[in-house]
Amino acid sequence: MLLLSMLLSNQTGKSSEVILKDVDSLLYVDTDVLFLRPVDDIWKLLRQFNSTQLAAMAPEHEIPKIGWYSRFARHPFYGSAGVNSGVMLMNLTRIRSAQFKNSMISTGLAWEDMLYPLYQKYKNAITWGDQDLLNIIFYFNPECLYVFPCQWNYRPDHCMYGSNCREAEREGVSVLHGNRGVYHDEKQPTFKALYEAIRDFPFQDNLFQSMYYPLQLKFLETVHTLCGRIPQVFLKQIEKTMKRAYEKHVIIHVGPNQMH
C-alpha cells in the first residue's frame, strides 16, 4: 500500500486499522530532505493552522504553466498546481476525527475508510503514489490543508528554470529537497555540493571554517547553472543557523563578560 497510508492506517483490502492511535502530530519527510535550519522551526507552523486545517504541504510548483500537475495530471489535484508531499505536517488528532468529502459517496468518510477505496478508484491514473492520492483528497477538502511557503520544500524545480520561489529569495531555503537523485548525479551541482558538504562535515569542527567557507567556494563551480547563480538562496538560512549556534555557545557557555 502507499507509503503515507501505511504511516496512518494498516490497509488490508476492505478492512483497516489505525496504527498511530496516540500520536497527536507528525512530521513526514522524504529521505532526500536536508534541514538547513533547526527542525523545531517547522513544527511551529502547526500553530498557524486554523480550526479546519489538519495537514500542511508546500505547492508542487509556483508557476502552473510549467508545473507537472497542471500539464499532465489525469486526476483531481489541489489548487492550480498541486502540492508536494516530500515535507508534510499532520495533526493526527484532527485527521482521526475528520469526515472527508470524496468522489465515491455523498457523505463524508473517515481517513482509514477512504484511502483504500480512493486508491482503487484512481490507481490507473496516479503517477506519484501517495502524493497523487493526497492531492485528490485535498482537492475535495481544500479547507483542510495549510499551504506553507516553498522555502520549506525547496526542489530543483524552484531554480532550474529560473528562480521562482520568492520566499527562498527573501528568507533563504529552510528545507532542501533533492528529488530526482540530484544529490548523486551531475544534473544540479549546487544541490550535490550542499549535500556533500553536510555529509562530509566533521561535526566537532568550526561550522564556518569547515562547512560555510568551503561551501561558498564550491558554489563558485556551479555558476554555469541557473541554480548556481543564486547561492545566497542556499546559504542564507545556513548562515543564520551558524550565527545563532555561535552566539549561543559564546554568550551562554563562555559568558558575555568574558568576550573580547
Side-chain angles (χ1 to χ4, degrees):
M1 190 53 190
L2 301 175
L3 176 59
L4 190 60
S5 60
M6 286 298 295
L7 281 172
L8 304 182
S9 61
N10 181 18
Q11 299 280 347
T12 54
K14 293 183 180 180
S15 62
S16 62
E17 178 186 0
V18 176
I19 57 177
L20 297 180
K21 297 178 179 179
D22 301 316
V23 177
D24 177 69
S25 299
L26 182 73
L27 172 61
Y28 168 86
V29 297
D30 284 354
T31 57
D32 52 5
V33 159
L34 294 173
F35 282 83
L36 306 187
R37 62 190 289 181
V39 69
D40 290 353
D41 292 347
I42 194 170
W43 279 106
K44 294 175 183 176
L45 296 178
L46 282 168
R47 302 173 190 167
Q48 300 184 25
F49 283 19
N50 65 25
S51 60
T52 65
Q53 291 165 339
L54 46 74
M57 288 184 281
E60 169 67 18
H61 214 287
E62 306 306 301
I63 305 174
K65 67 180 181 180
I66 57 175
W68 192 90
Y69 283 104
S70 49
R71 291 186 295 163
F72 304 118
R74 295 181 292 120
H75 57 74
F77 56 89
Y78 178 88
S80 61
V83 284
N84 185 281
S85 65
V87 180
M88 183 177 180
L89 274 170
M90 290 169 277
N91 184 319
L92 299 188
T93 300
R94 292 186 178 183
I95 288 176
R96 287 189 292 263
S97 62
Q99 292 290 309
F100 293 88
K101 297 187 290 292
N102 59 87
S103 60
M104 296 169 290
I105 62 174
S106 58
T107 58
L109 285 171
W111 182 273
E112 65 270 22
D113 297 327
M114 172 183 58
L115 288 177
Y116 189 76
L118 203 62
Y119 170 71
Q120 287 293 100
K121 179 174 181 177
Y122 290 103
K123 65 181 180 181
N124 294 324
I126 63 177
T127 302
W128 305 113
D130 60 303
Q131 179 171 292
D132 289 350
L133 194 57
L134 287 163
N135 267 282
I136 295 167
I137 291 170
F138 291 115
Y139 169 84
F140 291 105
N141 301 271
E143 74 282 358
C144 294
L145 187 65
Y146 175 86
V147 180
F148 52 66
C150 47
Q151 69 176 57
W152 294 100
N153 187 354
Y154 191 91
R155 293 167 288 111
D157 304 73
H158 290 119
C159 56
M160 62 190 289
Y161 307 112
S163 183
N164 58 60
C165 177
R166 292 182 181 178
E167 290 84 358
E169 292 174 6
R170 184 171 58 250
E171 302 290 335
V173 174
S174 296
V175 179
L176 191 74
H177 187 177
N179 62 334
R180 302 196 187 100
V182 294
Y183 293 151
H184 308 289
D185 59 29
E186 304 304 323
K187 294 179 180 177
Q188 296 298 332
T190 309
F191 280 73
K192 184 178 182 181
L194 213 160
Y195 164 75
E196 291 180 345
I198 294 176
R199 181 195 65 187
D200 299 335
F201 174 66
F203 280 88
Q204 67 276 13
D205 284 7
N206 180 281
L207 284 165
F208 281 97
Q209 291 179 353
S210 297
M211 181 186 286
Y212 187 76
Y213 298 138
L215 192 55
Q216 283 183 314
L217 293 175
K218 194 71 176 176
F219 278 177
L220 291 176
E221 301 173 9
T222 73
V223 294
H224 62 286
T225 68
L226 288 175
C227 294
R229 293 177 187 176
I230 49 172
Q232 70 280 359
V233 168
F234 297 89
L235 292 170
K236 192 172 293 186
Q237 280 296 334
I238 296 177
E239 184 177 9
K240 287 182 181 179
T241 300
M242 289 180 177
K243 285 181 177 179
R244 198 184 316 172
Y246 175 77
E247 290 168 358
K248 182 178 180 181
H249 174 76
V250 172
I251 296 174
I252 295 178
H253 295 285
V254 176
N257 295 329
Q258 300 178 43
M259 294 176 64
H260 298 285

